[in-house]
Amino acid sequence: MERHSYTLPGLPDWGRCAVLGILNVTPDSFSDGGRWLDPGRAVAHGLELVAQGADLVDVGGESTRPGARRVPVEEELARVLPVVRGLARQGVTVSIDTMRAEVAEAAVDAGARIVNDVSGGRADDRMAKAVARAGVPFVVMHWRGQSAGMDGLADYRDVVTEVVAEVGRQLDAVVSAGVDPAQVIVDPGLGFAKGRGDDLALLAALDAWAVLDRPLLVAPSRKRFLGELLADPATGEPRPAGERDAATAAAAVLAAAQGAWAVRVHEVRATADAVRLEAALRASRSRVGQGRVRPDPPAGQSSVRRSR
Ligand code: PMM
């Protein structure tokens, strides 16, 4: 799929798939829980993600791993606000990963420029109106219910068609609540109420999202489907979360090649390099397609054919 040159109000067009670095300010996220609870360390880590090639940093204060319990709103605010403020002050484009309108509003006041809601506005019925008032881009992810019970909701006959249709309905709902459709980013919600086969089917068919005509965010990072895919052949044990980064970078670049607007990852360097390569290949392919230039010969090889 050709990459759409989506420009979102207030955000740069990076000219390639953007990279959203993950900063979970939580004690219990499934792969980085507890590492960035101290605000100073969290801000330093966010800056490091940018130095490694992240275009945006996604700050979250509540784990959404399968089975996770909700945290009190005061706790979520206390975790994320100093970090959002600290990064925004240093010029970082911050998105706030929250299901709560109150947190989204406070984070935007503190400098966040995107609201990323894994429930797409369904967990808090004040969210869509709050985002409409704030006038910032809004990630509407596919969501069927809170993390505590979501594994029981992974029931599909045709996962790709159903997930796209459900997000399409949620897109209509948030637009009815006042969100500008030009501000909506959609997301298949890999790992949320989905089994391994569902995640693979979604990742393989990102073309299907073209019907919604919105930028697509894809977040495969360290998710369970990768762990299961790469399970130890002897024991059947899933690959541990911290050892899924190579597969994550591969999944991210495959999403970029299918036209994703952005990918969301914990380990930025490899994905940032991979999406730059993907963009260079696409640019090269389009120049060749138009007959303007020939592909560069491999290094050390002349493009002039020599006689033997
Ligand atoms: N996944 C997680 C958290 N936030 N946001 C979006 N838009 N899409 C996702 O798939 C998504 C998300 C869970 O992963 P984490 O606990 O490693 O952050």
Side-chain angles (χ1 to χ4, degrees), residues 25 128 206:
V25 193
L206 298 179

Side-chain angles (χ1 to χ4, degrees), residues 1-8 11-19 55 207 210 213-216 255-263 275 278-280 282-283 285-286:
M1 172 163 102
E2 269 306 294
R3 178 185 172 275
H4 300 281
S5 60
Y6 288 112
T7 45
L8 286 148
L11 294 182
D13 178 0
W14 290 279
R16 56 167 164 72
C17 180
V19 178
D55 303 296
D207 275 7
D213 195 25
R214 297 309 313 136
L216 184 65
Q258 293 178 77
W261 167 78
V263 287
V275 298
E278 188 279 327
R282 190 163 10 84
R285 203 162 45 233
S286 70

Side-chain angles (χ1 to χ4, degrees), residues 9 187 228 254 284 304:
D187 181 332
E228 290 174 4
L254 290 167
S284 173
V304 179

Side-chain angles (χ1 to χ4, degrees), residues 22 24 29-30 64 97 116 118 139 141 187 189-190 192 217 219 223 264 266:
I22 300 172
N24 285 322
S29 287
F30 75 97
T64 51
D97 186 346
N116 172 25
V118 298
V139 179
M141 196 192 84
D187 181 332
L190 298 177
F192 285 78
L217 170 63
K223 286 204 172 151
R264 178 182 178 279
H266 298 87

Side-chain angles (χ1 to χ4, degrees), residues 107-195:
V108 169
D109 284 347
R113 288 164 63 190
I114 298 183
V115 174
N116 172 25
D117 178 357
V118 298
S119 83
R122 293 180 60 199
D124 181 342
D125 53 19
R126 293 164 304 165
M127 179 64 103
K129 283 201 165 59
V131 173
R133 271 195 306 275
V136 295
F138 185 35
V139 179
V140 172
M141 196 192 84
H142 179 256
W143 189 82
R144 283 189 163 181
Q146 293 290 352
S147 301
M150 72 181 173
D151 281 351
L153 303 171
D155 179 21
Y156 305 91
R157 275 200 292 176
D158 175 350
V159 65
V160 174
T161 309
E162 287 169 57
V163 168
V164 173
E166 287 172 31
V167 172
R169 283 196 287 278
Q170 194 53 25
L171 171 59
D172 292 344
V174 303
V175 169
S176 302
V179 175
D180 178 353
Q183 296 271 32
V184 178
I185 298 155
V186 292
D187 181 332
L190 298 177
F192 285 78
K194 290 163 195 93

Side-chain angles (χ1 to χ4, degrees), residues 17-158:
C17 180
V19 178
L20 195 66
I22 300 172
L23 184 50
N24 285 322
V25 193
T26 57
D28 56 343
S29 287
F30 75 97
S31 81
D32 56 352
R35 293 190 66 193
W36 319 117
L37 264 178
D38 171 70
R41 287 189 63 187
V43 170
H45 183 60
L47 294 173
E48 193 184 318
L49 295 177
V50 172
Q52 289 173 357
D55 303 296
L56 313 110
V57 174
D58 190 37
V59 177
E62 181 177 50
S63 171
T64 51
R65 72 176 199 288
R69 303 247 160 255
R70 303 293 317 262
V71 297
V73 62
E74 298 74 25
E75 177 70 34
E76 191 182 345
L77 285 165
R79 288 178 186 174
V80 297
L81 290 183
V83 182
V84 170
R85 202 172 289 118
L87 288 172
R89 272 198 194 131
Q90 307 240 27
V92 177
T93 306
V94 176
S95 86
I96 176 70
D97 186 346
T98 185
M99 290 187 276
R100 289 184 166 120
E102 191 178 337
V103 177
E105 280 172 330
V108 169
D109 284 347
R113 288 164 63 190
I114 298 183
V115 174
N116 172 25
D117 178 357
V118 298
S119 83
R122 293 180 60 199
D124 181 342
D125 53 19
R126 293 164 304 165
M127 179 64 103
K129 283 201 165 59
V131 173
R133 271 195 306 275
V136 295
F138 185 35
V139 179
V140 172
M141 196 192 84
H142 179 256
W143 189 82
R144 283 189 163 181
Q146 293 290 352
S147 301
M150 72 181 173
D151 281 351
L153 303 171
D155 179 21
Y156 305 91
R157 275 200 292 176
D158 175 350

Side-chain angles (χ1 to χ4, degrees), residues 30 189-192 194-204 218-231 238-239 244 247-248 251-252:
F30 75 97
L190 298 177
F192 285 78
K194 290 163 195 93
R196 170 181 153 196
D198 302 323
D199 288 324
L200 291 173
L202 286 161
L203 190 56
V218 182
S221 196
R222 299 182 180 169
K223 286 204 172 151
R224 186 169 54 180
F225 76 102
L226 297 176
E228 290 174 4
L229 181 76
L230 304 171
R239 174 82 63 85
R244 299 175 191 166
T248 295

